[in-house]
Amino acid sequence: MAASFAPTAAHLRLGAFAGTWEGEERVAASAWTKEGTATAQLTAECLFGGFFVEQRYVQTRDGSTSFEARNILGFDAADQAYKLYQFDTVGFTPAAPASGEWIDDKLVLTKVSPRGQQRTLFQFENEDCYRMGVTFSPAGSDTWQEVVSGLYRRVASASSNLS
């Protein structure tokens, strides 16, 4: 008989992201894109009984898709930290996930790579609205630069894949 595992409250807290969201974004100029505004649609669902959340992100600028990502969020009980694995159209394979914690209503995750550090902040205003911001500090620098920021509102409730 297989062992039965159950997600903890820390795992289930990520269920706040489940559902369909739409948002307006401000995009900073970078080596990969020009400064401007964008819209985004995010669809997220709970996986494996609530242990993980998969988030599908599509950014649109000037009427066409400009960036896409697939994010897997989870909680690592071994080090008591939240993890974010991101795969996107920039194409870098993450050597390690971003790692962090909830501080009140904010989930703050930091990823370190040979290119530098990236910090992602999610701040819930309520169950149907959150803000997201990404900043980057190039390797060898202690200066943080904005990458993208947005405000997202829930447009549809979650459908869970709890199997």
Side-chain angles (χ1 to χ4, degrees), residues 94-153:
S99 184
E101 64 183 330
W102 284 96
I103 302 168
D104 299 321
D105 60 351
K106 298 175 194 145
L107 177 57
V108 182
L109 301 149
T110 302
K111 176 178 75 173
V112 178
S113 77
R115 292 172 299 285
Q117 296 183 75
Q118 177 178 303
R119 184 178 298 134
T120 303
L121 169 93
F122 298 99
Q123 180 173 5
F124 279 83
E125 293 188 358
N126 58 54
E127 68 182 25
D128 292 322
C129 180
Y130 72 89
R131 294 181 183 278
M132 186 267 307
V134 177
T135 55
F136 180 73
S137 177
S141 172
D142 58 0
T143 302
W144 289 88
Q145 307 161 358
E146 182 177 351
V147 176
V148 64
S149 62
L151 177 67
Y152 309 90
R153 297 187 188 283

Side-chain angles (χ1 to χ4, degrees), residues 6-41:
T8 66
H11 292 99
L12 296 174
R13 189 166 187 188
L14 293 169
F17 289 101
T20 301
W21 305 78
E22 291 179 351
E24 299 291 323
E25 297 180 328
R26 187 177 79 223
V27 180
S30 72
W32 298 282
T33 192
K34 63 182 173 34
E35 182 178 357
T37 59
T39 59
Q41 182 167 33

Side-chain angles (χ1 to χ4, degrees), residues 38 51 88:
F51 279 107
D88 59 41

Side-chain angles (χ1 to χ4, degrees), residues 24-94:
E24 299 291 323
E25 297 180 328
R26 187 177 79 223
V27 180
S30 72
W32 298 282
T33 192
K34 63 182 173 34
E35 182 178 357
T37 59
T39 59
Q41 182 167 33
L42 299 96
T43 305
E45 67 178 315
C46 297
L47 302 174
F48 312 119
F51 279 107
F52 299 95
V53 169
E54 177 190 21
Q55 187 181 59
R56 294 170 303 282
Y57 169 91
V58 177
Q59 181 188 79
T60 302
R61 292 179 80 177
D62 303 321
S64 62
T65 298
S66 53
F67 182 77
E68 291 183 78
R70 295 294 182 271
N71 299 323
I72 303 293
L73 293 145
F75 178 74
D76 187 345
D79 69 358
Q80 295 292 297
Y82 288 89
K83 305 296 181 178
L84 166 63
Y85 292 87
Q86 182 175 49
F87 303 90
D88 59 41
T89 54
V90 175
F92 296 122
T93 301

